[in-house]
Amino acid sequence: TITAAGVVTWGNLLMNGPGGINAHPQGMPFRLCGEIACCWEPNMGPSLGHGDDTITNGLALPFNFPMPGALPGGATTNVVSVCSNGFVGLGGALVADFTPSVAEFTAQPARIAVPWDDFFPPGGGTVHWNATPMRGIATWKQVDTFGGALGTQSIMQLQMFPNGAF
């Protein structure tokens, strides 16, 4: 449980059954694997040199990333596109869309919106890509919002993992 103040507490996983409601504490096995990811990866890799509404297609992932909704062993991609407007496209070539809407999001190829907005690197900031054996890392570093006032710079990072987590 995370409170509004950000305090985290752990509770027991309980199941109903003989003896009453929530009477049976349960265990849950899990496995940790892969590369450790810190909250922020300082090695952002090289700048992609993005201008306004630009995208870099064909960036390699060193692993096969499961496509959204794919069953285990299903469709994967090892190619991404990083857009100046705050999204990473999965597989194939995408266009640098700057108008985030549900209709566009669902009609176009799969993407992860980091957030998706009309960002403007020429006004300040850079977009980066780095890949390690177990992570793909896209970073938007102090990127201005198009037409934004002073202080609207965004700093965000997406880390993608071979198990489909991000």
Side-chain angles (χ1 to χ4, degrees):
T1 305
I2 302 175
T3 67
V7 176
V8 178
T9 58
W10 288 91
N12 291 326
L13 177 62
L14 302 171
M15 292 185 66
N16 299 337
I21 295 175
N22 294 330
H24 300 281
Q26 300 295 307
M28 182 178 294
F30 61 93
R31 180 176 62 173
L32 297 176
C33 58
E35 185 171 315
I36 296 172
C38 56
C39 293
W40 179 264
E41 174 55 59
N43 182 4
M44 296 178 284
S47 170
L48 296 174
H50 281 176
D52 186 26
D53 302 329
T54 54
I55 193 162
T56 302
N57 286 303
L59 296 167
L61 283 170
F63 50 84
N64 292 323
F65 186 79
M67 294 297 281
L71 295 173
T76 63
T77 185
N78 61 2
V79 177
V80 297
S81 303
V82 176
C83 182
S84 62
N85 292 320
F87 67 81
V88 171
L90 304 176
L94 278 78
V95 296
D97 190 347
F98 64 91
T99 53
S101 71
V102 172
E104 287 178 290
F105 192 81
T106 57
Q108 296 178 17
R111 67 182 77 197
I112 301 170
V114 180
W116 178 13
D117 201 348
D118 191 5
F119 294 109
F120 187 65
T126 50
V127 182
H128 300 260
W129 174 252
N130 190 13
T132 70
M134 297 298 286
R135 288 186 290 160
I137 305 156
T139 305
W140 292 260
K141 182 181 177 194
Q142 298 176 310
V143 179
D144 281 337
T145 304
F146 186 80
L150 288 175
T152 60
Q153 294 178 332
S154 295
I155 301 173
M156 36 197 182
Q157 187 172 80
L158 170 71
Q159 296 185 33
M160 302 169 66
F161 300 90
N163 67 356
F166 57 90

